[in-house]
Amino acid sequence: MVAEAFAARGDAVVVADLSAESAEGVAASIEENGGTALAISGDVADEASVAELLERATGELGPPAVWVNNAGISRAAMLHKMAVDDFDLVLRVHTRGTFLGIRAAAQSMIGAGSGGSIVNVTSSAGLQGTIGQINYAAAKGAVVAMTKSAAKELARYQIRVNAVAPVAATPMTAKLRTDEKLSAKFLDQIPLRRFGEPDEVTSAFTYLGDPVSSYVTGQVLCVDGGLYMAS
């Protein structure tokens, strides 16, 4: 939905996914609606893959003005039952992947000399902790720290770095939303008493990627129905 939102406002977008089929499906949908999209398959946590992604995207569409780090996975388990491999995998995708994305975007934007906006994705889990996902909470907490550190480092180049912490009806929250007991317990913590729809969240990304937010950097924008506020 984020790629579609940027495309809808007239931006040429790159859709990157580990699955070539998924990336191509989103890109095709954007082009069917009159947008411009390039699909690239790659692993955000692999340095060579990210470099190749950037080279191809820059070669075909030019240096990025906005870069969104939105890849993620979940491997839930109580901490005393969690496998080390599942801890490492979640941090590899969310933390290492976000770092490589920030670095690649920064290198390209600094080289272009025209500033830019980097938008990361974190979660209330990274702000307040969560039960059964210590790996995910640790990874998302790291994203917050990287966002603030990168914002301080890159401000001299007029590159802004922010993060969005959403609670939305997405595939990653499907189990939580479809389990009646889990869903009811979770919604009790949200003042608005519902999950956000994807299109309610995408406006946060386009806002942070737009010049209208040119004086906003180092921030975490919670689009979560009041969840973090209420903690």
Side-chain angles (χ1 to χ4, degrees):
M1 291 296 293
V2 174
E4 287 96 329
F6 278 102
R9 68 176 200 168
D11 295 335
V13 301
V14 175
V15 183
D17 198 293
L18 188 62
S19 164
E21 184 178 357
S22 294
E24 289 164 2
V26 173
S29 175
I30 288 172
E31 293 190 329
E32 286 171 6
N33 286 288
T36 300
L38 171 65
I40 301 177
S41 174
D43 181 356
V44 298
D46 179 78
E47 185 175 10
S49 182
V50 173
E52 182 180 345
L53 184 159
L54 178 62
E55 182 179 5
R56 184 179 167 195
T58 301
E60 297 197 31
L61 297 176
V66 180
W67 182 290
V68 178
N69 290 305
N70 194 28
I73 61 168
S74 176
R75 295 291 186 274
M78 299 302 286
L79 70 89
H80 62 289
K81 297 180 180 179
M82 183 172 290
V84 172
D85 285 349
D86 285 340
F87 183 87
D88 289 345
L89 180 60
V90 170
L91 264 72
R92 181 178 186 274
V93 174
H94 290 273
T95 306
R96 178 184 169 92
T98 298
F99 161 71
L100 290 174
I102 293 172
R103 189 181 67 170
Q107 289 170 340
S108 182
M109 291 173 179
I110 291 171
S114 54
S117 174
I118 300 171
V119 186
N120 302 317
V121 178
T122 184
S123 164
S124 62
L127 296 168
Q128 63 186 13
T130 188
I131 296 173
Q133 289 188 308
I134 195 170
N135 49 0
Y136 185 75
K140 289 306 192 183
V143 170
V144 172
M146 286 191 291
T147 296
K148 294 179 179 296
S149 296
K152 290 181 177 182
E153 285 196 29
L154 298 175
R156 71 192 69 180
Y157 304 106
Q158 297 303 306
I159 297 171
R160 299 180 297 107
V161 188
N162 294 286
V164 177
V167 174
T170 66
M172 278 192 67
T173 62
K175 183 176 180 180
L176 176 63
R177 289 183 290 107
T178 55
D179 185 301
E180 189 173 337
K181 287 184 66 176
L182 285 176
S183 180
K185 186 174 182 180
F186 187 72
L187 290 176
D188 279 344
Q189 303 173 59
I190 300 177
L192 289 183
R193 294 293 188 272
R194 64 180 178 84
F195 289 93
E197 293 301 322
D199 59 357
E200 293 181 293
V201 174
T202 55
S203 59
F205 289 88
T206 54
Y207 165 71
L208 291 173
D210 193 273
V212 72
S213 63
S214 59
Y215 203 51
V216 179
T217 195
Q219 303 303 307
V220 177
L221 179 53
C222 295
V223 188
D224 59 6
L227 173 64
Y228 181 60
M229 172 193 69
S231 65

